[in-house]
């Protein structure tokens, strides 16, 4: 597609429930990034993929969070046993390449996760 | 210390004012630099890349000082529609690739 598509737009989960978020990157983009933004605060990098391979997962919490990008499927971010502090907007971005001065990351509209 | 630090803001300015945002980064291996704009409850969108020689796009001018590890964004003749959060973004390739966002600086332009 021509834009990064994230679903769902809003997700409400009770504490302890699982949450699964999806992201379809722009067609032809090799890199996918996930970020967490809590209450309009700064973006926290979670994980990046190069195609279906994890590229950098240094931002991923060690427990409860996992992510995948499988061929011919949207990428996903899954949170097991959600906690109140997981409430945030989760943004996905994709880019064609890395590092070049004119490489732009295109963002999806985000998924707002509310844990109650 | 955060890897990318920005002015805390918010900046409240009248229409027509000139406003400057500053950003510093700690990783000397950083390679590419950007300013993104985020409107309330929306996704960030690229405002401009920052080139070593500095670059201008209409009312917006971006500067990079690699020696000082400092990036700036200047907005001239500010408009009401410039009200947003401005995010300084730095890409580093230092053992791995990272895109680090600053915390953002909120700008309010008033009539």
């Amino acid at each position: 597609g021509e834009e990064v598509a994230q679903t769902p737009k809003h997700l409400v989960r009770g504490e302890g429930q699982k949450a699964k978020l999806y992201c379809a990157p722009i067609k032809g983009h090799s890199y996918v990034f996930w970020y967490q933004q809590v209450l309009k605060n700064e973006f926290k990098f979670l994980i990046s993929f190069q195609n279906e391979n994890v590229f950098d997962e240094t931002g991923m919490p060690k427990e409860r969070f996992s992510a995948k990008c499988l061929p011919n499927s949207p990428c996903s971010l899954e949170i097991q046993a959600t906690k109140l502090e997981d409430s945030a907007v989760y943004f996905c971005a994709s880019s064609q390449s890395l590092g070049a001065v004119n490489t732009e990351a295109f963002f999806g509209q985000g998924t707002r996760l509310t844990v109650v | 210390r955060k890897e990318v630090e920005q002015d805390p803001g918010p900046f409240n300015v009248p229409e027509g004012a000139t406003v400057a945002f500053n950003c510093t980064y700690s990783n000397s291996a950083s390679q590419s630099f950007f300013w993104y704009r985020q409107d309330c409850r929306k996704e960030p969108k690229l405002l401009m890349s920052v080139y070593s020689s500095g670059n201008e796009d209409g009312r917006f001018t971006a500067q990079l000082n690699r020696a000082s590890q400092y990036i700036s964004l200047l907005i001239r003749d500010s408009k009401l529609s410039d009200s947003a959060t401005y995010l300084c973004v730095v890409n580093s390739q230092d053992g791995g690739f990272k895109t680090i966002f600053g915390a953002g600086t909120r700008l309010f332009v008033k009539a």
Side-chain angles (χ1 to χ4, degrees), chain A:
Chain A
E2 294 298 316
E3 59 180 26
V4 177
Q6 286 189 250
T7 55
K9 283 201 168 86
H10 301 278
L11 188 58
V12 180
R13 286 288 177 265
E15 268 194 289
Q17 290 187 315
K18 183 174 77 175
K20 195 161 184 179
L21 292 59
Y22 296 93
C23 169
I26 291 173
K27 193 176 175 183
H29 283 193
S30 303
Y31 295 89
V32 172
F33 309 85
W34 283 99
Y35 294 90
Q36 180 194 57
Q37 188 179 37
V38 177
L39 290 177
K40 299 182 202 173
N41 287 337
E42 60 192 284
F43 281 72
K44 181 190 171 192
F45 168 76
L46 295 175
I47 190 169
S48 60
F49 288 86
Q50 180 181 13
N51 298 312
E52 63 267 24
N53 303 307
V54 174
F55 193 72
D56 184 335
E57 58 183 345
T58 51
M60 280 289 264
K62 295 278 186 279
E63 298 172 353
R64 304 186 299 109
F65 281 65
S66 62
K68 291 179 192 174
C69 276
L70 299 175
N72 304 313
S73 295
C75 296
S76 63
L77 176 68
E78 191 167 316
I79 309 172
Q80 303 288 340
T82 52
K83 297 184 178 181
L84 294 176
E85 62 258 32
D86 297 332
S87 295
V89 180
Y90 291 82
F91 284 101
C92 172
S94 72
S95 69
Q96 204 165 26
S97 60
L98 289 180
V101 72
N102 57 352
T103 299
E104 179 179 354
F106 292 84
F107 282 79
Q109 293 186 332
T111 293
R112 182 174 296 277
L113 172 65
T114 303
V115 181
V116 298

Side-chain angles (χ1 to χ4, degrees), chain B residues 70-102:
Chain B
Y70 167 90
I71 307 153
S72 66
L73 176 68
L74 185 77
I75 306 176
R76 288 182 299 278
D77 188 24
S78 50
K79 313 286 184 196
L80 294 174
S81 56
D82 293 335
S83 298
T85 297
Y86 291 83
L87 300 159
C88 175
V89 180
V90 174
N91 286 344
S92 303
Q93 196 148 12
D94 181 16
F97 183 86
K98 289 184 186 299
T99 296
I100 306 295
F101 281 73

